[in-house]
Amino acid sequence: MKVLLLAGLGALFFSYYWDDNFDPASLQGARVLLTGASAGVGEELAYHYARLGSHLVLTAHTEALLQKVVGNCRKLGAPKVFFIAADMASPEVPGRVVQFALDKLGPAPPRPRPPHQGPASPGLEFLRDAVTRSRHLQVNFLSYVQLTSLALPSLTDSKGSLVVVSSLLGHVPTSFSSPYSAAKFALDGFFGSLRRELDVQDVNVAITMCILGLRDRASTAEEVRGVARAKAAPGPKAALAVIRGGATRAPGVFYPRRLHLLGLLRGWLPHPKAWFIRQELNVTAAATA
């Protein structure tokens, strides 16, 4: 019986990690609203969607960088690409962005993916500085809620999907990341509850929560230099994992996949979890950063 149980668990995990039934053709002609698209994983997502033939509305706060990404997307075969420069730190901006997407692509842009502002100040500064606190919550949490509330009626009509790009720090708390972690944990709670509410009301809108680890973009590497020991994952591969999860309407994506283990350890083994985290963090360097 033990052997059968272990074999069954092995088959379950293999199915979870490998059988995602991803069909690239399903994204041809899809209408995608992609925020934070000027750099990092947002830029890589734009390029993947362009290759797959999706119609795109791109937004970020730097217009010059956006124009470069738009040009590259057109070269890669995107049939339609529009852009709007916008800073999600302003509460009125999400409504303007969603309306722009509806005007350009018609009803139901299916995949809003908000940007993020990385961990920049330690927890005590976060508690003291009202400006820092408000900006982190607006960019990393409230803008997601605003975009979702504005797009949800159209998504409901089209049976669309929301792909929420979050972070390991919104799933497993760690040191020296209180502002960023607080906002990302709020995302996990909000979209987890929203998924349940939509389910009990038989609303066919999928929500895919993507938990990403450290990516190999230059600005991120500079922010964590001497602090994080973890190896950065390639940005294009992380972006493709997000697209696969959204296209198959999966409830969750972990990339790299080992992050799922840390998520499980959060509730099961809190003390070993802390030990694992300390192996990837130079505590002395972080404390003096």
Side-chain angles (χ1 to χ4, degrees):
M1 183 60 69
K2 290 181 179 179
V3 174
L4 290 175
L5 176 60
L6 291 174
L9 288 173
L12 178 63
F13 275 97
F14 183 84
S15 175
Y16 176 84
Y17 280 119
W18 296 105
D19 187 19
D20 61 6
N21 298 316
F22 174 57
D23 179 12
S26 67
L27 293 174
Q28 186 171 1
R31 292 165 290 176
V32 179
L33 166 59
L34 184 62
T35 69
S38 64
V41 70
E43 180 181 2
E44 297 297 342
L45 283 168
Y47 296 155
H48 280 303
Y49 278 121
R51 293 186 186 97
L52 293 167
S54 300
H55 303 291
L56 302 174
V57 169
L58 309 181
T59 182
H61 68 276
T62 306
E63 183 170 344
L65 294 177
L66 265 179
Q67 289 178 336
K68 182 199 74 171
V69 176
V70 167
N72 290 338
C73 287
R74 287 172 177 155
K75 292 176 183 177
L76 291 170
K80 293 181 182 178
V81 189
F82 305 96
F83 75 92
I84 175 173
D87 184 356
M88 291 297 168
S90 300
E92 69 277 4
V93 164
R96 183 157 55 89
V97 168
V98 170
Q99 189 58 54
F100 179 85
L102 292 171
D103 291 343
K104 294 299 183 183
L105 297 182
R111 295 175 177 86
R113 180 242 171 220
H116 73 279
Q117 177 182 358
S121 61
L124 293 178
E125 182 182 339
F126 176 62
L127 294 175
R128 290 191 297 261
D129 187 346
V131 174
T132 299
R133 183 169 61 246
S134 297
R135 181 176 177 82
H136 268 288
L137 292 176
Q138 174 61 36
V139 173
N140 293 314
F141 174 57
L142 295 176
S143 68
Y144 288 63
V145 176
Q146 291 171 291
L147 287 166
T148 300
S149 64
L150 293 164
L152 193 56
S154 186
L155 291 169
T156 301
D157 291 341
S158 68
K159 300 179 181 179
S161 60
L162 284 161
V163 181
V164 184
V165 177
S166 188
S167 165
L168 177 64
L169 298 183
H171 209 65
V172 177
T174 188
S175 305
F176 312 108
S177 63
S178 299
Y180 187 69
S181 187
K184 294 305 183 182
F185 264 89
L187 280 183
D188 191 54
F190 174 78
F191 283 103
S193 295
L194 180 61
R195 182 189 289 118
R196 298 291 175 263
E197 291 175 21
L198 296 176
D199 183 56
V200 298
Q201 297 177 65
D202 294 322
V203 176
N204 191 9
V205 174
I207 297 178
T208 300
M209 180 67 73
C210 303
I211 308 300
L212 304 185
L214 188 64
R215 271 96 67 203
D216 61 355
R217 56 180 293 190
S219 60
T220 302
E222 187 61 33
E223 287 174 1
V224 301
R225 187 184 304 279
V227 176
R229 298 191 179 107
K231 184 179 179 181
K237 290 185 177 181
L240 184 57
V242 170
I243 288 175
R244 293 176 73 97
T248 57
R249 303 171 78 87
V253 170
F254 290 83
Y255 190 87
R257 288 176 175 171
R258 67 176 182 273
L259 299 186
H260 194 203
L261 177 60
L262 279 176
L264 294 175
L265 289 174
R266 177 179 69 174
W268 295 353
L269 300 169
H271 297 301
K273 175 200 70 180
W275 181 87
F276 281 121
I277 290 174
R278 290 179 72 89
Q279 305 315 300
E280 299 192 348
L281 182 68
N282 184 344
V283 175
T284 302
T288 58

